[in-house]
Amino acid sequence: MAELITIKVNGKVHKIEADPEMPLLYLLRNDLQLNGPKYGCGIERCGSCMVLLNGKSQPSCVIPAASAAVYEVTTLDGLAKNGRLDPVQEAFIEEQAAQCGYCMNGMIMSAKSLLAENKNPSDEQIRQALNRVLCRCGTHTRIISAVKKAAAKMKNS
Amino acid sequence: MKDQSHFSSDRRSFLKSSGHLVIGFQLFPALAAITGFEDKSACETQPVADGQTIDAWIRFDADGKLSVITGKMELGQGIRTALMQMAAEELDVPMNRVKIIIADTGQTQDERYTAGSGSIEGSGRAIRNAAAEARQYLLNLAAEKLQTDVANLSVKEGVVMSSKSKNTVTYQELVAGKRLEVEVTGKAPLKEPASYRLVGKAIPRDDIAQMAAAEAYYIQDMRLPGMVHARILRPPVYDSKLVSIQKEQIAKVPGVLKLVVNGNFVAVIADKEYAAVKALEILKTNAKWDSKPLAVLPQNLYNNMLETASAPKVVEESGGSVPAKDFTHEAVYKKPYQMHGSIGPSCAIGLWKNDLLTVWSHSQGVYPLRKTISDLLQMPENKIRVIGVPGAGCYGHNGADDAGGDAALLAMGMPGKPVRVQWMREDEHKWEPYGSAMVLSVKGRIGAAAKIDAWNTEICSDTHSSRPGGNAGHLLAGRHIAKPFTFKSGGFSGGSHRNSVPLYDFSAKKISLRDFYGPLRSSALRSLGAYGNIFALESFMDELAWKAGEDPVAFRLTHLKDERARQVITTMVEKAGWGQGRGEGFAFAQYKNSAAYLAVKAEVSIDKAAKTYQLTKLTAVIDAGQVINSDGIINQTSGGMIQAASWTMLEEVKFDKTGVTSTTWETYPILRFDQVPHTEVHIIDRPGEEPLGAGEAAQGPTAAAIANAIFHATGSRLRELPLTPDKIDWEKIS
Ligand code: FES
Ligand code: FES
């Protein structure tokens, strides 16, 4: 049943013995012990488990680990470069854009994907890009400010 | 797992320290408890402490670090930071030398539940007093050392200086090498608010940085060596009975270690998480249940409530008798069952090892959970330790305690193995105890000078508190096992009629309550009955204002003497404007009639062609007394408004005779970015007053403000939540 899956996550190639049907989320959280992607619904309806597949934000809770192996996977855990947090992470901290913070992974990863394509998104575009990700604490307005701040930071760096 | 100060072992540093100052602490001999899940030996060496022996609020270690110790839980409300700020302020130490230990029956006091916006008023006050006590004690030591009077001493960043000699001594030097235990006398002077440097400021929360950096922060991130994974198979309906299950099929799933069938409690344990998930899927199809259909259905719920609820009990009667008839107006408001809807389904880990049970849980009350687990397992409390670890926001009593009970039960059958229970999304949606449905019947009379002189409210509601306070019948596991515990209802007091008594000056008020035993499980959801009660009260005030031909804001002011209440309202008008266009709604309440004051303005715009409305903006003004952390109050208030807007506009638990059918985010939609309004929060800071609980103040007023705005925009008075556009009479609009 188990197969050897070769998968590149956060720039590193891993060989993992696993059930090929197992959703990517379980491989990331359990086999690779990453904390970024979170379990929220398991059926692509909440965005808690968001990762980047070749730079695009996608839920990781349904896609089988074996099929995800064709992509380069990036998680929140892998955004920091040379010991420095990504500007999006910095912006979320500076704006204190969390209450419980459980949604933050999905928000940051979706923002990352948006800002890679659109350096200067409008409020409307931010809302659209983040619409997939649920926040129950009602932190939305701060999250929008954080994404705008991240855009400004990226422009200046 | 490196650098996890959040989980770090505070007891260890306590033991290593050559000296320390503990305030309000009766020392426990050979205290060797260790917390932090990176420490595998935790449960072997811990002495299980109880409330009597753990009585510390703050501790100063020889390394100069100040530890704040609270029985309250971090729920995303930012309580860690606010409590650290209060202690650091009183002692004049910098924030970076303060840490905090939260809810853990092995280390902190029994502070019951983290609920009712009571942590700042309760724990905060105790910690502030303890810190003042510590300061006084340390200053006395310093006076001796520097050979001067306490009056000549000042403190900056933990350094005490004599104004006479300019000599200094640090707190650290004063503590070092000694073991100091000081009882709280309650007599130490508190700092003057005018001299505050930290309290009132927007000090950033350090835990947000941990979350953003993907550090292990949540209970879901705990990974203990040898940990096994469990999934629970819940029955289809509340009282279903298990008929049969095909055990052999489950045994064949690779990785499955054990199938537990205990009455109607069914669980599967596997070495890998996904194996447990797969086995659960198979179990779902092969288990046969005998289920009684639910008798009360949504279409007859409200009628059933009014028909079957108990006779009314008067909860408040004041200012003379309320007439039986001759009311100017009467109206009935309805609220359905609503969910907590935590984004992260409940999770817990249990470990039974060396005759001790440790349960890691995101419960709001570690001590009450311990007591309940003790009842469930018929095991003494001193063999159980419950350690609080944050989960996703819970907003009240959700599945956290139940998951704790599941983990405890399963851990007892897997000695030496940490058993991780993770609820699936569907489990949380179907099994969490909802905020109860309510029917609110309100009558009022407008007397002389267009003033209300009589008010009558009759509340009909199921309980708003069925927390497990020691009774295993309040845990799902306790109700489902072969020898079940019984659920003892009766928690109607308080929660159901919270905020039902108008703060306004009416000559006669009468409030009565009818208890209803509903078809769905219910318990505490953020603000309890206050949400429904304020929705009714403040909608009705609006209705009466229109009846009297008065402006709704002015109408309220003519009925309010309370200066602070008036000021949040007038400030709201100043900041957000009033009377400027179509679609403005207003509401006000003082949470619990004793906590924070909050006024809110809602603005809606309508699209007549599409028959929809959009909530465009919510503006709040809040007076929570002395502000501890201004950013925390803004964050909680803005979030509270958005969450309440979601409840108000969209939410209703759906069910039919086969049970709850709101099992996903599609069948229970909540507000997403495309519908979220702009929010604005203004704070009235009162440094000289007591700090007041703020985290739930927005829930009720937001609901009524939206209803009032919809009326203003469309002429339709919506009295049944959720306020969906199909309830608006679009023909009426000119
Ligand atoms: S957990 Fe993947 S979208 Fe919800
Ligand atoms: S901050 Fe709690 S879910 Fe978004």
Side-chain angles (χ1 to χ4, degrees):
Chain A
M1 293 265 302
E3 255 177 35
L4 193 66
I5 300 170
T6 307
I7 187 163
K8 193 167 173 192
V9 179
N10 297 331
K12 233 179 111 192
V13 176
H14 300 267
K15 289 187 190 302
I16 309 274
E17 189 81 47
D19 183 336
E21 280 172 27
M22 178 174 79
L24 175 62
L25 177 63
Y26 293 99
L27 180 138
L28 297 173
R29 287 196 60 85
N30 298 337
D31 297 281
L32 300 184
Q33 309 224 337
L34 298 171
N35 301 313
K38 305 255 179 312
Y39 172 74
C41 68
I43 52 168
E44 300 190 336
R45 292 297 179 274
C46 74
S48 305
C49 62
M50 224 41 118
V51 296
L52 302 180
L53 299 183
N54 288 353
K56 279 213 166 19
S57 58
Q58 292 292 339
S60 62
C61 61
V62 171
I63 183 172
S67 331
V70 301
Y71 301 106
E72 284 208 22
V73 182
T74 310
T75 73
L76 180 64
D77 317 66
L79 290 189
K81 291 276 169 308
N82 308 321
R84 176 150 186 213
L85 292 180
D86 187 272
V88 184
Q89 290 169 298
E90 284 178 357
F92 271 71
I93 298 168
E94 286 161 23
E95 289 295 307
Q96 294 278 291
Q99 287 176 63
C100 79
Y102 201 84
C103 65
M104 209 199 279
N105 171 72
M107 301 297 177
I108 293 179
M109 299 316 275
S110 304
K112 223 15 227 169
S113 179
L114 168 71
L115 294 173
E117 281 178 3
N118 182 348
K119 304 250 168 305
N120 201 7
S122 65
D123 274 30
E124 216 31 63
Q125 289 165 326
I126 295 172
R127 282 175 185 259
Q128 243 170 45
L130 270 49
N131 210 38
R132 256 188 123 157
V133 189
L134 288 175
C135 172
R136 185 53 161 170
C137 297
T139 317
H140 306 75
T141 45
R142 278 187 180 213
I143 292 168
I144 297 171
S145 312
V147 178
K148 284 203 202 130
K149 183 163 206 179
K153 274 176 175 279
M154 285 162 79
K155 242 180 276 159
N156 298 337
S157 65
Chain B
M1 298 190 116
K2 324 156 288 285
D3 187 31
Q4 285 171 20
S5 48
H6 177 64
F7 296 128
S8 73
S9 156
D10 293 285
R11 274 297 171 203
R12 209 165 20 195
S13 55
F14 169 25
L15 287 172
K16 277 193 197 145
S17 60
S18 53
H20 52 261
L21 167 64
V22 284
I23 302 293
F25 187 90
Q26 291 138 28
L27 203 69
F28 190 77
L31 205 45
I34 295 172
T35 188
F37 54 65
E38 85 279 29
D39 201 303
K40 291 85 198 173
S41 57
C43 320
E44 290 149 64
T45 50
Q46 56 155 329
V48 180
D50 60 58
Q52 240 88 64
T53 50
I54 296 182
D55 196 14
W57 291 108
I58 63 167
R59 189 181 74 223
F60 237 120
D61 291 325
D63 62 358
K65 284 257 187 192
L66 172 69
S67 292
V68 175
I69 304 161
T70 177
K72 298 292 184 183
M73 183 70 176
E74 177 64 51
L75 308 170
Q77 82 282 44
I79 194 67
R80 296 171 68 257
T81 306
L83 294 177
M84 287 195 279
Q85 256 175 289
M86 291 174 91
E89 179 69 69
E90 246 7 90
L91 275 153
D92 278 309
V93 295
M95 279 298 279
N96 61 13
R97 257 185 268 158
V98 189
K99 52 191 178 173
I100 190 160
I101 303 167
I102 59 169
D104 174 357
T105 64
Q107 304 196 73
T108 68
Q109 308 207 39
D110 183 359
E111 293 195 70
R112 300 286 297 164
Y113 298 104
T114 306
S117 299
S119 298
I120 293 285
E121 293 171 41
S123 208
R125 180 178 312 171
I127 286 163
R128 177 177 269 171
N129 286 334
E133 211 81 44
R135 181 191 177 98
Q136 172 164 282
Y137 188 86
L138 289 164
L139 286 184
N140 283 332
L141 290 183
E144 226 170 90
K145 187 123 188 170
L146 301 175
Q147 298 181 336
T148 184
D149 287 343
V150 170
N152 299 328
L153 299 177
S154 62
V155 192
K156 209 175 159 196
E157 311 250 301
V159 182
V160 189
M161 189 171 85
S162 158
S163 59
K164 290 260 150 47
S165 62
K166 305 288 176 215
N167 287 341
T168 61
V169 59
T170 64
Y171 282 159
Q172 195 172 346
E173 287 159 358
L174 291 168
V175 174
K178 277 175 262 141
R179 198 171 149 112
L180 311 163
E181 287 142 36
V182 183
E183 293 282 329
V184 172
T185 63
K187 296 201 185 85
L190 295 176
K191 258 174 100 169
E192 276 303 317
S195 64
Y196 282 168
R197 293 165 311 104
L198 294 168
V199 162
K201 300 273 152 33
I203 306 275
R205 284 170 50 186
D206 56 358
D207 49 357
I208 292 183
Q210 293 179 293
M211 298 164 183
E215 285 177 29
Y217 175 82
Y218 303 94
I219 185 163
Q220 286 88 349
D221 301 331
M222 283 185 63
R223 298 174 188 97
L224 297 179
M227 186 164 82
V228 295
H229 297 267
R231 289 294 183 280
I232 318 291
L233 175 72
R234 296 285 176 210
V237 199
Y238 288 124
D239 291 320
S240 309
K241 303 264 174 295
L242 183 67
V243 176
S244 69
I245 205 156
Q246 286 170 23
K247 297 189 179 166
E248 314 71 49
Q249 224 180 330
I250 299 305
K252 275 191 244 144
V253 179
V256 166
L257 304 170
K258 192 172 178 180
L259 175 68
V260 177
V261 182
N262 181 349
N264 299 308
F265 181 86
V266 182
V268 59
I269 303 175
D271 60 355
K272 289 257 164 57
E273 186 171 20
Y274 185 57
V277 172
K278 259 183 140 174
L280 176 68
E281 283 311 308
I282 299 171
L283 273 175
K284 273 191 202 162
T285 56
N286 88 13
K288 298 274 173 294
W289 298 88
D290 182 14
S291 306
K292 272 202 303 276
L294 288 183
V296 180
L297 299 176
Q299 51 271 32
N300 61 7
L301 174 68
Y302 297 121
N303 285 339
N304 184 271
M305 289 177 77
L306 294 172
E307 278 160 20
T308 63
S310 69
K313 288 175 299 213
V314 176
V315 293
E316 160 103 12
E317 195 162 16
S318 59
S321 66
V322 171
K325 52 184 177 60
D326 300 331
F327 290 103
T328 311
H329 184 49
E330 40 186 283
V332 179
Y333 302 87
K334 294 164 186 161
K335 168 197 175 285
Y337 288 99
Q338 292 175 327
M339 263 180 214
H340 300 77
S342 182
I343 295 296
S346 294
C347 180
I349 299 174
L351 174 59
W352 169 243
K353 193 167 181 178
N354 299 343
D355 217 28
L356 286 173
L357 174 68
T358 306
V359 176
W360 288 267
S361 165
H362 52 109
S363 166
Q364 287 183 301
V366 288
Y367 278 94
L369 178 57
R370 182 174 73 161
K371 199 159 176 233
T372 315
I373 289 173
S374 147
D375 189 38
L376 176 72
L377 303 174
Q378 298 292 298
M379 190 162 101
E381 281 186 71
N382 66 8
K383 287 195 171 302
I384 306 167
R385 178 177 180 186
V386 180
I387 302 176
V389 187
C394 62
Y395 330 105
H397 175 202
N398 68 346
D401 293 296
D402 293 304
D406 297 340
L409 191 65
L410 295 173
M412 297 308 289
M414 298 289 283
K417 292 254 174 222
V419 181
R420 178 182 190 266
V421 172
Q422 168 72 65
W423 281 21
M424 305 302 281
R425 166 53 50 202
E426 185 185 344
D427 300 331
E428 192 75 37
H429 263 54
K430 279 185 83 161
W431 288 92
E432 65 145 281
Y434 308 117
S436 177
M438 296 174 87
V439 179
L440 299 311
S441 313
V442 194
K443 299 171 185 172
R445 188 174 70 189
I446 299 174
K451 286 193 84 173
I452 298 167
D453 63 3
W455 181 285
N456 186 69
T457 304
E458 192 175 279
I459 305 159
C460 183
S461 175
D462 200 341
T463 182
H464 290 265
S465 182
S466 63
R467 292 182 187 274
N471 178 354
H474 288 233
L475 291 179
L476 292 177
R479 293 173 76 171
H480 290 161
I481 53 177
K483 278 199 210 124
F485 292 81
T486 44
F487 175 80
K488 293 195 193 87
S489 189
F492 290 100
S493 54
S496 297
H497 57 89
R498 183 172 287 181
N499 269 105
S500 58
V501 180
L503 201 72
Y504 300 106
D505 314 312
F506 309 144
S507 35
K509 307 176 191 175
K510 183 176 169 187
I511 313 294
S512 35
L513 171 64
R514 301 180 61 199
D515 298 335
F516 165 69
Y517 294 87
L520 306 186
R521 190 177 186 222
S522 70
S523 193
L525 170 60
R526 195 176 187 176
S527 87
L528 282 60
Y531 171 73
N533 287 323
I534 297 170
F535 166 64
L537 196 170
E538 284 293 302
S539 292
F540 197 70
M541 278 302 279
D542 210 65
E543 297 200 38
L544 288 181
W546 292 108
K547 284 241 178 271
E550 302 268 338
D551 171 76
V553 170
F555 187 65
R556 284 171 174 88
L557 287 172
T558 53
H559 289 92
L560 264 180
K561 285 198 206 74
D562 186 320
E563 257 319 306
R564 290 172 71 176
R566 295 179 65 87
Q567 208 176 332
V568 292
I569 297 175
T570 51
T571 310
M572 190 286 295
V573 172
E574 237 168 73
K575 300 286 182 192
W578 183 249
Q580 293 160 333
R582 200 174 186 183
E584 293 184 324
F586 168 79
F588 156 82
Q590 180 187 19
Y591 183 53
K592 299 198 272 189
N593 287 354
S594 64
Y597 297 83
L598 185 137
V600 57
K601 177 184 174 187
E603 293 167 60
V604 305
S605 65
I606 56 170
D607 181 340
K608 201 181 163 197
K611 297 191 174 169
T612 56
Y613 72 90
Q614 178 87 25
L615 176 63
T616 53
K617 190 166 180 191
L618 290 167
T619 310
V621 177
I622 183 168
D623 168 357
Q626 180 188 89
V627 170
I628 307 296
N629 188 317
S630 55
D631 194 58
I633 293 185
I634 292 171
N635 204 0
Q636 282 278 290
T637 305
S638 172
M641 288 196 291
I642 291 173
Q643 186 180 62
S646 179
W647 295 352
T648 304
M649 292 160 62
L650 302 172
E651 299 185 28
E652 170 170 29
V653 175
K654 301 254 170 47
F655 55 103
D656 63 20
K657 61 181 190 312
T658 67
V660 171
T661 54
S662 287
T663 55
T664 65
W665 291 121
E666 269 160 337
T667 43
Y668 191 85
I670 62 173
L671 215 58
R672 289 185 184 261
F673 275 95
D674 55 358
Q675 278 183 291
V676 164
H678 293 286
T679 62
E680 214 175 280
V681 178
H682 302 276
I683 303 178
I684 299 178
D685 187 7
R686 298 191 184 271
E689 300 283 343
E690 288 288 314
L692 299 174
E696 297 164 296
Q699 307 311 106
T702 302
I706 296 171
N708 296 339
I710 291 173
F711 174 76
H712 192 228
T714 68
S716 288
R717 174 59 65 183
L718 305 192
R719 301 192 183 94
E720 184 177 332
L721 294 163
L723 311 177
T724 47
D726 58 294
K727 292 176 181 158
I728 295 169
D729 181 356
W730 293 98
E731 302 310 314
K732 234 185 179 162
I733 305 167
S734 50

